[in-house]
Amino acid sequence: MAPGNPYSLNQSDMPIQTASQIPLPEVDLNTYKPKDPVPVSIVKSEIATASASPNFVRHVEFDVSGTDLENRVIPGQSLGILAEGTDENGRPHKVRLYSTCSPTGGEDGNGKIYATTVKRVIDEHWETQELFLGVCSNYLCDRKAGDIIRMTGPSGRRFLLPETYEDYNYIFLATGTGIAPFRGMAIDLMRSGMKNDVVLAFGCPYRTDLLYKNLFDDLDQKHKNFHYLKFVSREDPRTDGTKPYVQYSLIDRADLMNPILEKDNTLIYVCGLKGMETGIYKILGQLGLFDYLRIKEKLNGVDPLDWTTDQVKSYIKPGERMFLEVY
Ligand code: FAD
Ligand code: A2P
């Protein structure tokens, strides 16, 4: 269905869709479980932001050679990390997942070195005002080359590129470390020489927080079909003064987006902050792009302009052409 005037929607057009029929590759899952993690060594850890920023994000690489992870992790999958030590109840820390940001074949092309993009969770407790440091993100960011960490995985079989990836166009919408899987996917797609369009819209607070900026600027310059859009929420207000959240790429860059969105072979991938999907569903509804959504009957007859956030949360899920990973 083509993007249209939101005021002329025919609600009976809204499909109720079933699970994705897009063929995704078979992947290895949970070869290493939390009870039996594999030791791997850190080979590199460097700042991933464009320049110094209070958003501390690192690109961390590890060597999985000789393990059953070698050559068996693909973009869209995650790896688990077990931090050392115990929680406040004396139990070993639970596993935390981190998306691989590496392309197929890893950083080295031989499937031995994989990487992730990790943000230190640092906060002040609202009431006590005590400093709060996330356990595993800080553990991982503190590790140096040569250190050994315990890893599980791989995990995830739904947030992958299709088997016949060259048959599709892609709109990737990312906030923060949600960029990780798209780094690997973008490298894979552009290396393959595929001709369809790939749009990467990335949202971050300040220009300093643009992750892997040089890589994406470079892909944008080298490939006519790769489009890198930056949405800097606290620096570039929209014309009405609101924050330019990444979902507004669908409206504010309609010149680029509409012709791609209206193609039947376009897929939308969303990764990053939990909650970002609600705004995306609303905008897709307002644009009449119901093909990307799975909408429960409860919303039949309700104009998308009137969809409340609660309704969107309860009654809308990604359709078969939309893939979601939020945390
Ligand atoms: P934790 O110690 O687990 O603390 C975080 C929790 O503390 C949150 O639940 C929060 O509600 C709570 N909290 C926050 N502030 C306070 C406070 N002041 N006082 C008390 N509690 C507070 N992360 C990445 O950085 N990069 C990735 O690529 C990535 N990929 C992921 C992929 C998947 C599929 C999933 C599910 C998650 C991913 N994550 C990623 C998130 C990651 O798994 C961890 O959740 C994150 O790093 C926080 O873990 P932590 O141990 O540092 O924090
Ligand atoms: P802001 O924090 O200005 O409200 P990071 O993970 O590096 O903090 O970046 C997350 C980015 O996503 C920020 O630019 C943040 O904007 C933005 N953001 C916050 N809430 C949403 C949302 N509901 N939908 C889309 N983007 C969001």
Side-chain angles (χ1 to χ4, degrees):
M1 190 176 298
N5 177 347
Y7 297 97
S8 64
L9 289 172
N10 177 357
Q11 299 301 319
S12 62
D13 283 339
M14 290 186 186
I16 308 286
Q17 290 175 329
T18 52
S20 175
Q21 287 153 18
I22 298 184
L24 301 181
E26 292 288 319
V27 284
D28 285 347
L29 283 179
N30 304 317
T31 314
Y32 295 103
K33 302 190 171 57
K35 284 205 169 118
D36 190 21
V38 62
V40 303
S41 62
I42 304 278
V43 291
K44 192 200 258 185
S45 176
E46 61 189 21
I47 292 169
T49 49
S51 48
S53 161
N55 237 344
F56 302 111
V57 185
R58 300 190 72 82
H59 171 87
V60 181
E61 296 186 3
F62 24 81
D63 184 347
V64 301
S65 54
T67 76
D68 285 340
L69 295 175
E70 192 172 325
N71 243 323
R72 297 223 176 98
V73 187
I74 63 170
Q77 289 199 290
S78 306
L79 292 159
I81 310 282
L82 284 160
E84 282 162 36
T86 52
D87 64 18
E88 62 279 10
N89 301 314
R91 294 195 194 99
H93 289 302
K94 291 208 171 89
V95 77
R96 268 72 162 183
L97 296 180
Y98 295 92
S99 308
T100 177
C101 63
S102 301
T104 303
E107 298 297 305
D108 58 332
N110 293 314
K112 295 183 193 305
I113 311 288
Y114 285 94
T116 187
T117 317
V118 54
K119 174 178 166 171
R120 286 183 188 270
V121 171
I122 302 179
D123 201 2
E124 254 184 15
H125 195 281
W126 185 251
E127 278 159 16
T128 66
Q129 299 186 14
E130 271 178 40
L131 181 65
F132 174 86
L133 296 177
V135 169
C136 196
S137 56
N138 286 286
Y139 167 79
L140 189 52
C141 285
D142 287 342
R143 304 276 71 77
K144 306 266 181 295
D147 286 351
I148 306 290
I149 56 169
R150 293 174 303 154
M151 186 166 274
T152 67
S155 75
R157 62 188 167 88
R158 292 284 309 123
F159 196 77
L160 308 174
L161 292 179
E163 258 172 342
T164 55
Y165 57 83
E166 67 281 4
D167 292 346
Y168 300 91
N169 305 287
Y170 299 91
I171 292 183
F172 295 150
L173 303 176
T175 53
T177 53
I179 196 78
F182 301 135
R183 175 181 179 268
M185 290 178 186
I187 296 174
D188 273 359
L189 290 169
M190 292 302 109
R191 267 188 193 157
S192 78
M194 75 134 202
K195 296 285 176 277
N196 290 342
D197 282 302
V198 179
V199 181
L200 169 65
F202 176 61
C204 62
Y206 299 101
R207 228 163 273 288
T208 50
D209 303 314
L210 290 164
L211 300 175
Y212 304 114
K213 177 180 175 298
N214 292 344
L215 167 80
F216 295 123
D217 275 338
D218 199 44
L219 290 178
D220 187 291
Q221 273 164 23
K222 286 196 178 131
H223 302 273
K224 242 182 25 234
N225 57 334
F226 186 85
H227 315 273
Y228 175 38
L229 310 179
K230 307 167 182 99
F231 287 80
V232 183
S233 58
R234 301 185 197 176
E235 289 192 45
D236 304 332
R238 300 175 72 224
T239 47
D240 64 0
T242 54
K243 284 187 176 182
Y245 283 167
V246 71
Q247 55 268 31
Y248 289 118
S249 58
L250 303 175
I251 296 176
D252 297 350
R253 287 304 314 273
D255 56 318
L256 171 71
M257 293 291 205
N258 275 0
I260 300 174
L261 282 165
E262 66 191 10
K263 288 185 182 153
D264 290 341
N265 61 341
T266 294
L267 307 179
I268 300 180
Y269 285 68
V270 176
C271 190
L273 282 185
K274 193 177 258 170
M276 68 183 283
E277 71 275 22
T278 342
I280 295 171
Y281 297 161
K282 276 193 190 176
I283 288 179
L284 287 169
Q286 288 169 17
L287 292 172
L289 291 160
F290 303 118
D291 283 3
Y292 293 99
L293 305 174
R294 196 147 45 102
I295 303 166
K296 291 206 178 143
E297 280 168 21
K298 289 249 188 200
L299 278 185
N300 277 356
V302 184
D303 191 306
L305 282 176
D306 299 327
W307 287 352
T308 65
T309 301
D310 282 347
Q311 284 175 327
V312 171
K313 279 189 188 153
S314 308
Y315 304 134
I316 303 192
K317 298 266 176 304
E320 71 166 60
R321 289 203 280 138
M322 186 163 178
F323 299 81
L324 185 68
E325 183 142 286
V326 289
Y327 47 84

